[in-house]
Amino acid sequence: MEQIVCNFCGSSSHSLLYSSTDRSFHPKEKFNLVSCNRCGLVFVNPRPQVSEIGSYYPKEYFCCYEEIKKESAEIQLRKIMVVDKYKNAGRILDVGCGRGDFLHQMGIRGWDCWGIEISPDACLYARDTLGLKQVINQDLLVSNLPEKSFDVITLWHVLEHVYQPLETLEKIHSLLKDDGVLIINCPNFDGALRRIFRENWYQLDIPRHLYQYRRKVLTRMMESKGFRVKKVEYLAFPLHGLIWFKISLLRAFGAKKPIENIVDLRHPDNGLHRSLFWRLGRSVFNSFCWVISYILGLLHFGDDMCISAEKTKK
């Protein structure tokens, strides 16, 4: 574990917001989430060192959300719609591209697609299964990607995971063309569910989410590295919102099931989950969570924030 100063302003003065365990995989380890007293950036401190963080990403992290996969087509469509507002063709880099589903869809639409991803298994799938030959298994900050060569760079729920967000923004600025666009999608720390559920909010995802972003703080960080924010959107992905709200609510009531059981709401052993009463109750509960999460997204208080910015001179 390592103690750190604020990545944005360098201050070592911060206030404790929450103490929480890794609710998903390491329930006995406790971590502190703090807010910088000078600039307001929220981060885990102390945090696992780079050499330790891999143990917090077990295989279950990547494979237990079977329900979310059902929404994959809608998710990719919403991402494409965001990009289409600014550019319709060109070269795109997806940072933290995962298995490459988004890039695959962009390639179908004629884009020159590049990706960078630290998971070797995800890169292998992107290259061999989806045919994305320009997916690199590397950390962005040490990559040798050509400067001023990308029309669009995207980070879909990635910036909260990186160790050096400010340096990441600086690197991205150097990779974008002079009229390039940056799109960042991340959890919204100003959202209603975070305020309600506090340390039980699923999107804290400590310690994998090393940073949490308020709109004003992230905007200032982007501006400090040569970006002009064009638009802030609050995307509503119904199934994602349903699951995030469901898990947060269950945790607030003391649910301690493994994460894959929370997602599926399976009920073991006693057969209750096969009864009409259980199926009806589950349907009502899911509908309630879906409606709440969707309304919050429409009102700009949802869990998902998307900031689009254009490159400017520093």
Side-chain angles (χ1 to χ4, degrees), residues 60-73:
E60 292 82 1
Y61 176 80
F62 299 98
C63 68
C64 70
Y65 303 112
E66 292 302 319
E67 287 192 31
I68 292 179
K69 294 178 183 177
K70 298 175 185 176
E71 199 184 30
S72 179

Side-chain angles (χ1 to χ4, degrees), residues 20-25 60-62 64-65 68 157 161 187 193-194 196-209 212 239-252 259-260 262-263 303:
S20 179
T21 62
D22 174 3
R23 301 290 292 272
S24 299
F25 304 109
E60 292 82 1
Y61 176 80
F62 299 98
C64 70
Y65 303 112
I68 292 179
H157 279 269
H161 292 268
L193 295 186
R194 195 277 303 175
I196 293 170
F197 292 114
R198 298 171 62 81
E199 69 272 13
N200 293 308
W201 184 47
Y202 171 64
Q203 285 280 46
L204 288 185
D205 200 22
I206 294 173
R208 285 162 294 279
H209 288 185
Q212 295 287 342
L239 190 53
H240 273 168
L242 160 65
I243 292 172
W244 294 334
F245 183 41
K246 181 191 302 183
I247 295 176
S248 300
L249 187 61
L250 290 172
R251 285 177 174 174
I259 190 168
E260 63 272 18
I262 291 178
V263 169
D303 280 353

Side-chain angles (χ1 to χ4, degrees), residues 16 36 69 78 125 161 164-165 172 177 197 238 245 259 283:
L16 177 66
C36 176
K69 294 178 183 177
R78 292 295 301 277
Y125 181 91
H161 292 268
Q164 297 172 284
I172 289 170
K177 295 179 181 179
F197 292 114
F245 183 41
I259 190 168
S283 178

